[in-house]
């Protein structure tokens, strides 16, 4: 594996069998990122509901810390996150936990729909939660801000836009390269096997030790998945521009586009 | 990190692809060469040649993106392959694929760095892009009705596949003066044999008193800035002469084609400059030499085993026939020579189809077609064959669910448009979108229901290079720029009376039509035709009469049509009509902008 760090290595994804045994052992906290009404219809046993919208309403570190503590997540508790949106929403939550200093957080490698299709157990009971303590150790090294981007780029950081190709062609942050989120998944899994992802990164001449900043359209979901795809390869210097292109535009920063081509008219949508 | 795996056990007796055209090592080599090119270790011209040889064009205004063209010999594609194309489009392209006028799929705006991943995926499903572009023998076409057409003498498909097996990756074809096109067709009517380098129509002939299978062979046709209709080589070319004939023609072209001037490098120019008789003699002599000098007998491997037709389950429960069915069945289906079976043509818009629709089409081919495959057609369309007549209402219902049930496929309402300014470097206008606009309007006006217009065609190219095949359309257009004072606007040149059957004719230029007046102009032509036609006469036949100068009292010649269209095509000032000056798909004012053409690379 390229670029193994000295830090404690965390698993980026967890497969269904592993998660089931951890749920049986009660050695894991599972977060379900879907809407409350979907959660109530049924969820993975013992999963706690944290709809993405609730988190986005206030994702300040203090608020996130409160959530973690109220869910009974301590510094050492392994957390596994899932959604039904190809892992993008789960990635955003996982990143947020990582940002406040929670190290052991992973993504379930399939979505809830696939979990059900596999015939695995679901129920609609809400687990009892016991409050616990969690420390706050912010990890600014995984966060990128608008002000950070330009100087970082000048120093060689690679800016990765995880939106779909047509959106990227229409407008993107100057100098960004495009790795559409659809490239990251394979078949039933939210992330491709490592050897596939590594080949795609190598095809782009990206070195394992490069600094990479991912962004997407508005709140860092698609780029959250991009962030974890790169992390799964052992790349350590990856950041998420969490406020993404929406903020960039609102700040009226420069924008690049593929001009003089009517590519939207090729879409059969 | 181990992955959760899901094994799907779908009952599937659909046939899989028979020939593996793909080579995984070509994908790996592509990825290596992209890296070398990016590192400046490979000259851009050398890289371009390599890229084109492997089916990847540059995109409009950018070599960082490719248009990947598949090579689908005879237009044949299977369900598992369609699903793979759907996945690859979603992952690396724009979530839609495009069906070309030469039966291939094209994936647009793929990052150059990902082309190798697409080639890898295609190879995994038996498909290739090798020699789909560049100066090579392009995909060998075969009528989508081959094998089921009531008028054909025999099914030419196995010959198209065998010829591809022989020519693909053959050193003979790796560096021709220019691209080279071969079309097989089923019969005279479902044509396109006379407008390619080698066109072939099956026929029976007598050789030494024995009836034999063979072909009518046409040479030196082609569409482009200057177009020519092909010449017939000889009365009858028996099947055992087929390979020698093809090889003889390619060798002559390779030796004598114009390598100095790319614009005149196609074989049709060689034939024209040399004169047909001289060229014909050369071919016959070359063919005799090849046969004499061969120390090893080279034969086409023609697989003539009959395809076993699957039993397809017919649901005994009759669905209620959905609204619009009878209109659709009239304009989109074709009765096969085999009783009880039909072909179903899908009306796409300028050949575009989404990944979701491709998956639905794959599923329907499994469920409803006895041969379990799909063929891409000659007019940016897709075709199911071997569908039981009783199943047609169910097919229609399923197509409705995925937005593919538009009527008009086999009528004038189905319009061909090349990719134009959506992705092509040479385009001057958005012909792609215009074709969609015309088609939508004509379906809304129920043009497809008018029997007088059924046999006619509308085809649109975004520049004079004929990728939209405008010259063989009843009403054809190619794009350019017009000007009123200082203001530029998108403007098409319209030609009339083209056809591609046994009376293959290139369209005659009539007049120039602004992009935003194309729809009104066609409708005006229909109106003139209706008031001038003889009883029972169709638009295409009336047009032929007018072009031959035998028009009626009101419209004697093509010039009279031009005169009648003058009020429709007149340009307003920019102040009175700003929209007139913008092309379809753009808000800004129009300007012509092109990059380097790669057809010529």
């Amino acid at each position: 594996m390229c670029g193994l760090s000295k830090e404690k290595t965390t698993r980026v994804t967890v497969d269904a069998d592993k998660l089931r045994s951890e749920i049986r052992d009660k050695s894991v906290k599972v977060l379900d990122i879907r809407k409350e009404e979907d959660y109530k219809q049924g969820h993975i046993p013992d999963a706690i509901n944290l709809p993405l919208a609730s988190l986005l309403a206030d994702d300040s570190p203090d608020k996130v810390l409160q959530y973690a503590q109220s869910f009974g997540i301590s510094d050492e508790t392994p957390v596994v996150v899932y959604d039904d949106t190809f892992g993008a929403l789960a990635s955003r939550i996982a990143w947020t936990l990582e940002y406040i200093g929670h190290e052991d957080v992973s993504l379930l490698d399939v979505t809830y729909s696939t979990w059900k299709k596999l015939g695995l157990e679901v129920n609609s009971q809400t687990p009892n939660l016991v409050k616990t303590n969690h420390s706050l150790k912010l990890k600014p090294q995984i966060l990128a801000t608008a002000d950070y981007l330009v100087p970082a780029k000048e120093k060689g950081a690679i800016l990765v836009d995880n939106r779909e190709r047509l959106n990227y062609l229409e407008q993107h942050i100057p100098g960004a390269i495009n790795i559409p989120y659809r490239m990251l998944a394979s078949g039933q899994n939210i992330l491709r096997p490592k050897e596939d992802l590594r080949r795609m990164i190598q095809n782009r001449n990206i070195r394992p030790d490069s600094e990479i900043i991912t962004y997407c359209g508005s709140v860092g979901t698609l780029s959250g998945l991009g962030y974890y795809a790169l992390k799964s390869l052992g790349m350590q210097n990856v950041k998420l521009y969490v406020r993404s292109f929406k903020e960039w535009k609102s700040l009226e920063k420069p924008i690049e586009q593929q001009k003089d081509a009517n590519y939207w008219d090729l879409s059969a949508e | 990190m181990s992955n959760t795996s899901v094994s799907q056990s779908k009952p599937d007796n659909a046939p899989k692809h028979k020939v593996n055209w793909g080579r995984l090592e070509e994908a790996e080599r592509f990825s290596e060469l992209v890296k070398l090119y990016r590192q400046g270790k490979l000259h851009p011209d050398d890289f371009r040649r390599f890229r084109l040889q492997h089916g990847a064009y540059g995109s409009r205004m950018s070599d960082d993106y490719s248009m990947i063209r598949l090579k689908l010999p005879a237009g044949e594609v299977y369900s598992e392959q369609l699903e793979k194309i759907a996945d690859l489009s979603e992952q690396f392209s724009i979530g839609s694929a495009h069906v070309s006028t030469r039966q291939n799929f094209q994936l647009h705006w793929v990052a150059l760095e990902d082309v190798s991943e697409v080639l890898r995926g295609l190879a995994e499903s038996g498909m290739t892009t090798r020699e789909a572009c560049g100066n090579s023998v392009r995909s060998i076409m075969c009528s989508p009705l081959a094998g089921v057409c009531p008028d054909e003498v025999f099914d030419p498909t196995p010959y198209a596949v065998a010829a591809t097996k022989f020519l693909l990756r053959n050193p003979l074809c790796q560096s021709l003066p220019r691209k080279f096109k071969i079309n097989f067709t089923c019969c005279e009517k479902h044509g396109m044999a006379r407008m390619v380098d080698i066109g072939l129509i099956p026929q029976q002939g007598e050789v030494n008193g024995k009836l034999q299978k063979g072909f009518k062979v046409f040479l030196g046709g082609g569409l482009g800035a200057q177009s020519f209709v092909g010449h017939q080589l000889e009365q009858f070319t028996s099947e055992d002469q087929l390979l020698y004939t093809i090889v003889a023609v390619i060798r002559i072209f390779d030796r004598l084609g114009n390598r100095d001037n790319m614009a005149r490098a196609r074989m049709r120019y060689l034939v024209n400059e040399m004169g047909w008789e001289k060229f014909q003699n050369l071919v016959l002599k070359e063919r005799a030499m090849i046969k004499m000098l061969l120390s090893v007998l080279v034969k086409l491997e023609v697989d003539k085993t009959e395809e076993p037709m699957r039993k397809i389950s017919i649901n005994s429960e009759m669905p209620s026939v959905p609204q619009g069915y009878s209109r659709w069945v009239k304009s989109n289906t074709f009765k096969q020579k085999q009783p009880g079976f039909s072909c179903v043509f899908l009306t796409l818009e300028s050949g575009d189809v989404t990944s979701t629709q491709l998956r639905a089409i794959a599923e329907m081919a499994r469920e409803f077609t006895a041969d379990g495959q799909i063929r891409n057609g000659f007019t940016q369309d897709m075709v199911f064959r071997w569908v039981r007549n009783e199943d047609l209402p169910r097919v229609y219902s399923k197509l409705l669910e995925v937005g593919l049930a538009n009527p008009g496929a086999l009528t004038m309402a189905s319009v061909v448009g090349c990719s134009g300014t959506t992705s092509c470097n040479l385009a001057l206008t958005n012909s792609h979108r215009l074709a969609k606009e015309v088609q939508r309007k004509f379906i809304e006006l129920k043009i497809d229901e008018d029997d007088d217009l059924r046999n006619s065609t509308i085809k649109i190219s975004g520049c004079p290079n004929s990728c939209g095949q405008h010259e063989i359309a009843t009403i054809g257009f190619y794009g350019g720029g017009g000007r009123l004072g200082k203001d530029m606007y998108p403007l098409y040149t319209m030609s009339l009376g083209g056809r591609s059957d046994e009376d293959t004719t290139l369209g005659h230029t009539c007049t120039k039509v602004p992009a935003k007046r194309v729809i009104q102009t066609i409708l005006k032509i229909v109106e003139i035709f209706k008031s001038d036609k003889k009883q029972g006469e169709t638009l295409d036949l009336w047009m032929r009469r007018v072009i031959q100068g035998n028009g009626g009292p009101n419209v004697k010649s093509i010039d009279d049509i031009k005169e009648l269209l003058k009020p429709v095509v007149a340009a307003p000032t920019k102040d009175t009509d700003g929209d007139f000056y913008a092309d379809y798909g753009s808000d800004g004012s129009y300007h012509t902008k092109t990059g380097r053409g790669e057809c010529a690379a």
Side-chain angles (χ1 to χ4, degrees):
Chain A
M1 180 182 270
C2 40
L4 260 186
S5 81
K6 290 174 198 84
E7 291 171 50
K8 182 184 165 190
T9 46
T10 329
R11 50 189 189 174
V12 169
T13 58
V14 171
D15 71 31
D17 284 336
K18 182 90 175 124
L19 179 62
R20 290 167 74 208
S21 75
E22 288 177 8
I23 292 171
R24 275 194 299 271
D25 299 346
K26 302 210 173 297
S27 60
V28 67
K29 289 281 181 187
V30 184
L31 298 183
D32 181 321
I33 310 308
R34 296 174 304 146
K35 290 182 183 139
E36 193 182 348
E37 60 260 39
D38 296 331
Y39 172 82
K40 281 184 175 162
Q41 302 274 321
H43 51 77
I44 292 177
D46 295 343
I48 305 159
N49 190 212
L50 175 57
L52 183 68
S54 311
L55 178 102
L56 292 180
D58 176 4
D59 66 348
S60 62
D62 287 342
K63 183 70 189 175
V64 177
L65 190 67
Q66 260 180 43
Y67 276 127
Q69 289 177 338
S70 67
F71 295 156
I73 296 172
S74 71
D75 287 61
E76 303 301 323
T77 314
V79 177
V80 173
V81 196
Y82 72 87
D83 63 20
D84 213 3
T85 317
F86 43 81
L89 311 191
S91 296
R92 176 62 166 85
I93 298 274
W95 178 87
T96 308
L97 286 173
E98 216 189 311
Y99 180 63
I100 64 157
H102 190 83
E103 285 189 3
D104 197 348
V105 55
S106 315
L107 305 168
L108 177 61
D109 78 347
V110 294
T111 62
Y112 181 69
S113 292
T114 305
W115 176 278
K116 269 179 58 175
K117 216 186 296 171
L118 287 162
L120 303 179
E121 49 282 271
V122 296
N123 67 35
S124 50
Q125 288 150 29
T126 312
N128 293 320
L129 301 176
V130 182
K131 222 178 146 205
T132 184
N133 271 323
H134 194 294
S135 61
L136 183 63
K137 288 178 284 191
L138 284 189
K139 272 177 87 174
Q141 66 271 31
I142 66 166
L143 169 77
T145 59
D147 290 337
Y148 180 78
L149 290 194
V150 178
K153 233 197 134 282
E154 276 162 12
K155 277 185 265 164
I158 297 165
L159 203 51
V160 172
D161 185 325
N162 289 120
R163 296 172 304 151
E164 290 181 14
R165 178 64 34 83
L166 289 176
N167 292 313
Y168 167 83
L169 290 175
E170 189 174 68
Q171 43 183 4
H172 55 260
I173 298 178
I177 62 166
N178 186 210
I179 301 184
Y181 69 95
R182 293 270 193 188
M183 272 176 63
L184 306 173
S186 73
Q188 305 277 355
N189 296 108
I190 63 166
L191 289 179
R192 281 178 187 264
K194 269 188 269 191
E195 60 271 22
D196 280 15
L197 289 172
R198 185 167 297 127
R199 208 175 49 236
M200 290 176 194
I201 294 304
Q202 284 171 352
N203 283 342
R204 285 172 160 73
N205 270 328
I206 296 175
R207 288 196 324 273
D209 59 351
S210 305
E211 177 178 3
I212 304 198
I213 303 165
T214 66
Y215 77 90
C216 55
S218 61
V219 294
T221 47
L222 304 179
S223 48
L225 191 63
Y227 171 90
Y228 282 110
L230 296 168
K231 290 286 250 197
S232 77
L233 297 178
M235 299 180 77
Q236 293 300 327
N237 202 357
V238 188
K239 294 181 173 59
L240 177 66
Y241 174 28
V242 71
R243 301 284 172 239
S244 279
F245 197 54
K246 192 176 173 183
E247 179 191 73
W248 186 264
K249 277 203 296 187
S250 73
L251 296 171
E252 297 179 358
K253 301 250 184 200
I255 285 170
E256 207 167 67
Q257 82 171 132
Q258 187 68 38
K259 282 190 195 141
D260 296 311
N262 304 101
Y263 29 81
W264 283 102
D265 286 328
L266 270 172
S267 167
E269 292 287 357
Chain B
M1 182 175 75
S2 69
N3 286 342
T4 302
S5 61
V6 184
S7 62
Q8 278 182 315
S9 54
K10 214 184 317 180
D12 182 7
N13 68 342
K16 303 267 191 285
H17 62 272
K18 283 176 294 186
V19 186
N20 180 9
W21 302 110
R23 297 284 181 275
L24 204 55
E25 59 271 23
E26 289 177 352
E28 283 157 9
R29 179 142 175 79
F30 200 100
S31 126
E32 288 310 310
L33 263 61
V34 170
K35 280 179 218 157
L36 291 177
Y37 163 67
R38 289 296 199 201
Q39 292 160 9
K41 292 176 187 159
L42 184 60
H43 193 278
D45 288 343
D46 294 332
F47 177 67
R48 186 184 310 109
R49 264 192 294 280
F50 168 82
R51 165 162 68 68
L52 291 166
Q53 200 77 346
H54 292 78
Y57 270 108
S59 289
R60 187 168 172 80
M61 306 305 163
S62 172
D63 279 351
D64 292 340
Y65 296 94
S66 291
M67 179 272 271
I68 299 182
R69 180 183 291 151
L70 278 67
K71 186 170 205 161
L72 291 179
E76 289 183 314
V77 60
Y78 292 82
S79 293
E80 18 116 37
Q81 295 179 322
L82 277 190
E83 283 159 353
K84 176 62 88 171
I85 294 166
D87 288 348
L88 293 171
S89 172
E90 242 161 29
Q91 290 162 2
F92 301 104
S93 176
I94 59 168
S96 294
H98 169 77
V99 183
S100 75
T101 51
R102 296 199 81 251
Q103 303 186 292
N104 295 307
F105 282 109
Q106 293 176 174
L107 299 176
H108 288 272
W109 295 99
V110 176
L112 184 59
E113 280 71 15
D114 294 330
V115 171
S116 55
E117 288 300 306
V118 175
L119 303 195
R120 175 183 292 272
L122 293 171
E124 282 167 4
S125 294
M127 293 178 281
T128 191
T129 58
R130 173 85 191 214
E131 291 153 51
C133 313
N135 296 329
S136 59
V137 177
R138 303 293 183 85
S139 192
I140 297 182
M141 289 175 65
C142 184
S143 167
L145 293 171
V148 302
C149 171
D151 296 327
E152 77 180 2
V153 178
F154 61 87
D155 181 359
T157 312
Y159 297 86
V161 172
T164 306
K165 275 190 195 162
F166 182 84
L167 294 171
L168 182 64
R169 302 185 178 89
N170 189 322
L172 178 69
C173 323
Q174 298 310 300
S175 188
L176 297 174
R178 196 71 180 84
K179 60 184 167 181
F180 194 85
K181 296 178 178 176
I182 303 177
N183 284 13
F184 284 83
T185 186
C186 47
C187 67
E188 281 289 3
K189 203 167 133 199
H190 303 114
M192 308 247 189
R194 290 172 177 82
M195 28 72 69
V196 284
D197 296 292
I198 305 182
L200 304 117
I201 307 177
Q203 64 166 343
Q204 294 264 24
E206 233 184 73
V207 180
N208 301 330
K210 252 179 69 184
L211 263 190
Q212 266 207 16
K213 282 183 177 176
F215 296 88
K216 273 190 220 173
V217 177
F218 297 91
L219 302 177
L223 303 179
Q226 205 183 339
S227 303
F228 295 99
V229 175
H231 304 267
Q232 189 170 347
L233 176 65
E234 57 198 340
Q235 203 56 30
F236 176 73
T237 306
S238 63
E239 65 169 326
D240 52 6
Q241 303 271 3
L242 177 63
L243 180 63
Y244 303 124
T245 309
I246 292 174
V247 171
V249 175
I250 293 176
R251 280 172 55 124
I252 291 172
F253 175 51
D254 189 38
R255 266 201 321 263
L256 303 178
N258 188 339
R259 287 181 189 265
D260 299 327
N261 181 1
M262 280 296 180
R264 301 187 71 77
R266 291 291 302 272
M267 193 178 79
R268 61 178 186 272
Y269 294 104
L270 177 65
V271 175
N272 183 53
E273 279 153 27
M274 185 183 282
W276 167 244
E277 268 181 34
K278 201 170 167 194
F279 187 84
Q280 182 185 31
N281 281 333
L282 259 183
V283 172
L284 296 174
K285 209 158 118 192
E286 180 80 13
R287 185 171 72 185
M289 292 292 283
I290 291 172
K291 280 165 70 179
M292 273 193 291
L293 293 176
L294 277 184
S295 56
V296 187
L297 195 63
V298 183
K299 286 188 85 169
L300 272 186
E301 287 174 53
V302 183
D303 180 358
K304 291 183 181 171
T305 46
E306 286 284 315
E307 285 300 308
M309 288 299 151
R310 299 178 304 150
K311 278 209 170 118
I312 36 182
S313 61
I314 298 188
N315 198 329
S316 55
E317 182 191 324
M318 202 56 204
S320 61
V321 178
Q323 197 67 30
Y325 172 70
S326 57
R327 179 177 168 193
W328 173 83
V329 98
K330 186 182 166 200
S331 66
N332 288 44
T333 66
F334 180 90
K335 290 265 176 301
Q336 295 185 191
K337 66 179 167 190
Q338 297 85 359
F341 288 96
S342 289
C343 295
V344 171
F345 286 73
L346 306 184
T347 316
L348 306 177
E349 288 188 332
S350 294
D352 291 342
V353 56
T354 65
S355 292
T356 312
Q357 289 172 332
L358 284 174
R359 291 191 186 100
I361 293 168
E363 206 44 55
M364 291 173 73
R366 285 195 185 96
E367 193 176 349
F368 294 111
T369 68
D371 67 347
Q373 57 158 242
I374 300 101
R375 290 221 196 174
N376 287 350
F378 284 8
T379 54
Q380 302 179 327
D381 52 350
M382 297 176 75
V383 188
F384 292 128
R385 298 135 50 94
W386 293 98
V387 177
R388 286 192 182 277
N389 291 339
E390 310 87 284
D391 278 337
L392 290 174
R394 257 183 293 273
V395 170
Y396 179 68
S397 304
K398 293 253 164 144
L399 288 172
L400 266 180
E401 286 171 20
V402 288
L404 286 172
N406 269 329
L410 295 167
T411 74
M412 192 171 91
S414 166
V415 181
V416 167
C418 69
S419 62
T421 51
T422 63
S423 80
C424 174
N425 248 335
L426 293 175
L428 300 164
T429 53
N430 192 346
S431 44
H432 196 77
R433 172 74 175 271
L434 175 60
K436 293 184 180 189
E437 296 286 339
V438 175
Q439 179 165 310
R440 283 172 201 163
K441 188 70 189 172
F442 285 9
I443 289 173
E444 183 193 319
L445 294 173
K446 300 193 174 176
I447 290 269
D448 55 291
E449 299 220 276
D450 189 334
D451 286 339
D452 289 350
L453 307 178
R454 275 178 80 79
N455 296 329
S456 296
T457 53
I458 297 172
K459 298 176 195 285
I460 308 174
S461 304
C463 79
N465 285 309
S466 302
C467 297
Q469 303 180 330
H470 58 272
E471 286 152 306
I472 50 165
T474 317
I475 308 178
F477 298 90
Y478 74 84
R483 191 186 288 277
L484 183 71
K486 280 185 193 153
D487 301 318
M488 284 200 82
Y489 58 90
L491 181 69
Y492 286 88
T493 301
M494 178 174 71
S495 56
L496 300 175
R499 49 197 309 143
S500 62
D501 57 4
E502 58 190 314
D503 300 318
T504 294
T505 312
L506 301 173
H508 289 61
T509 302
C510 173
T511 186
K512 297 204 181 218
V513 182
K516 293 288 166 75
R517 298 291 180 269
V518 165
I519 292 175
Q520 292 98 309
T521 299
I522 301 169
L523 292 174
K524 182 70 183 172
I525 291 172
V526 171
E527 187 191 312
I528 298 168
F529 153 69
K530 290 280 184 187
S531 67
D532 200 67
K533 75 179 197 113
K534 290 180 182 163
Q535 194 166 6
E537 197 172 36
T538 57
L539 176 64
D540 60 319
L541 295 178
W542 172 79
M543 204 77 97
R544 183 158 67 183
R545 190 158 59 83
V546 172
I547 284 165
Q548 288 165 351
N550 300 325
N554 304 320
V555 185
K556 288 194 181 56
S557 70
I558 214 165
D559 285 340
D560 290 342
I561 299 180
K562 181 176 178 178
E563 198 58 33
L564 289 166
L565 290 174
K566 269 190 176 159
V568 184
V569 301
T573 62
K574 201 166 186 176
D575 300 337
T576 51
D577 187 355
D579 176 61
F580 177 92
Y581 287 83
D583 200 357
Y584 283 103
S586 316
D587 309 324
S589 44
Y590 174 78
H591 54 283
T592 51
K593 194 162 184 177
T594 58
R596 175 180 174 169
E598 294 212 321
C599 296

